[in-house]
């Protein structure tokens, strides 16, 4: 069993796609095989837009075909990376969550968050992945997210398993490419 | 003497600010001191917008107070990171440019480019920095860049030292914060 540790920014795009592509063995890397992921850890700031993105991620995992996986939310007290202290705090947190053999998804969040996660992954002998969503599809998803903003309560219901409330799976890219970086 | 190796995307923002803050000893890190930088290497893709960003970087270094520094352009044949092969090619290139003790600026370019640069910096015992430009100022600079797009030929002249052609230094942020990441 492996774990997926993912950084999250204002867009949910990428994390579920990374998870799905890994469990299906559908990614670019050496020695590609299906990865048995039973736990997903989302590390994020407490910014409002990021909080909303977390609710979307939770809803997507609840309703778009994830099976036998626990998704954990790890919100940090900072709202952004505005100083070296913020960066070091974020790095300390992400590193403490990574075990040898884990997969670390650096797709979401600020660039410095991705770098913190990738550096930590190397130190912990974990693997780093990212998922590329084609620009046109990414823009479409961003537009949909904007439209969903006033429906936060309904999205929370979707996250609790009431999947028919909103078609949340339209936020999942069908042509996302997952790449093993290290 | 140290070198600055920087990734570049569609925005020139960050590289000159990193350079300036490093040489002035104006950054967040342990044992902060003025860094004597005599060479800057810009590693980038051959995308058209990135090519334009390079011309802006060159013009900024020519006219906004850099002294005794050579700026080298390293364009790769790829136009983006669209596959693992692209990523590995980019990583190989950036790693080959980094020596022990160099500073590697991961501010510009795709997230996977920043991660490639940060991983390479650790391997080569170089230091990694990033520069944060406040969002409002970043947006202002992006707007200015858009306005400068039709004036590519004049920008090229500025890059050759004809500094009075365009006030290129308005693209430099005055409140950029540079952080030593590792």
């Amino acid at each position: 069993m492996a774990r997926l540790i993912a950084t999250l920014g204002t867009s949910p795009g990428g994390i579920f796609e990374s998870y799905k592509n890994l469990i299906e063995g559908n990614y670019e890397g050496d020695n590609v095989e299906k990865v048995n992921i039973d736990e997903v850890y989302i590390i994020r700031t407490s910014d409002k837009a990021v909080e909303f993105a977390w609710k979307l991620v939770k809803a997507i995992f609840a309703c778009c075909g994830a099976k036998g996986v626990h998704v954990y939310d790890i919100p940090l007290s900072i709202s952004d990376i505005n100083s070296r202290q913020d960066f070091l705090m974020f790095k300390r947190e992400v590193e403490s969550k990574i075990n040898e053999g884990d997969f670390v998804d650096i797709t979401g969040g600020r660039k410095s968050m991705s770098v913190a996660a990738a550096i930590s992954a190397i130190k912990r002998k974990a693997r780093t992945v990212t998922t590329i969503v084609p620009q046109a599809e990414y823009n479409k998803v961003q537009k949909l997210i904007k439209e969903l903003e006033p429906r936060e309560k309904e999205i929370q219901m979707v996250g609790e398993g009431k999947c028919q409330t909103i078609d949340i799976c339209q936020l999942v890219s069908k042509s996302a490419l997952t790449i093993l970086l290290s």
Side-chain angles (χ1 to χ4, degrees), chain A:
Chain A
M1 286 295 181
R3 306 177 329 150
L4 179 65
I5 322 291
T7 51
L8 176 66
T10 56
S11 163
I15 298 179
F16 183 77
E17 288 87 340
S18 292
Y19 161 79
K20 196 159 176 281
N21 286 337
L22 286 170
I23 63 167
E24 291 175 354
N26 177 29
Y27 58 95
E28 291 187 357
D30 294 329
N31 310 315
V32 169
E33 49 183 37
K34 291 181 181 181
V35 182
N36 221 332
I37 294 170
D38 62 341
E39 291 182 332
V40 176
Y41 292 79
I42 311 287
I43 305 187
R44 62 172 181 90
T45 65
S46 56
D47 174 79
K48 212 168 163 283
V50 178
E51 176 89 33
F52 183 65
W54 153 246
K55 286 178 184 165
L56 293 171
V57 169
K58 193 182 173 194
I60 290 168
F61 269 92
C63 297
C64 306
K67 272 175 201 148
V69 61
H70 289 276
V71 184
Y72 300 98
D73 181 29
I74 305 174
L76 306 188
S77 58
I78 51 172
S79 65
D80 203 349
I81 309 281
N82 286 322
S83 66
R84 188 165 188 251
Q85 200 182 335
D86 292 342
F87 172 78
L88 293 176
M89 194 255 220
F90 189 88
K91 185 160 164 281
R92 200 162 47 237
E93 279 298 319
V94 72
E95 196 181 310
S96 75
K97 294 294 173 291
I98 303 172
N99 293 334
E100 193 173 329
D102 283 348
F103 285 78
V104 178
D105 181 4
I106 60 102
T107 309
R110 292 271 186 213
K111 219 173 267 183
S112 53
M113 288 161 61
S114 304
V115 163
I119 291 173
S120 302
I122 289 178
K123 200 168 164 191
R124 293 284 196 174
K125 293 180 183 163
R127 279 157 292 186
T128 308
V129 297
T130 193
T131 289
I132 299 168
V133 174
Q135 194 65 46
E137 221 174 333
Y138 179 85
N139 295 344
K140 203 189 86 188
V141 168
Q142 288 304 108
K143 201 169 156 271
L144 285 169
I145 292 171
K146 204 86 199 146
E147 287 165 18
L148 287 175
E149 263 173 22
R151 303 177 72 183
E152 193 157 346
K153 275 198 181 148
E154 290 165 84
I155 287 159
Q156 221 154 339
M157 285 168 66
V158 181
E160 284 152 14
K162 298 203 174 69
C163 297
Q164 67 285 6
T165 315
I166 291 175
D167 178 14
I168 202 77
C169 304
Q170 60 183 329
L171 298 182
V172 179
S173 165
K174 271 159 203 73
S175 45
L177 172 70
T178 298
I179 299 174
L180 198 63
L181 299 182
S182 71

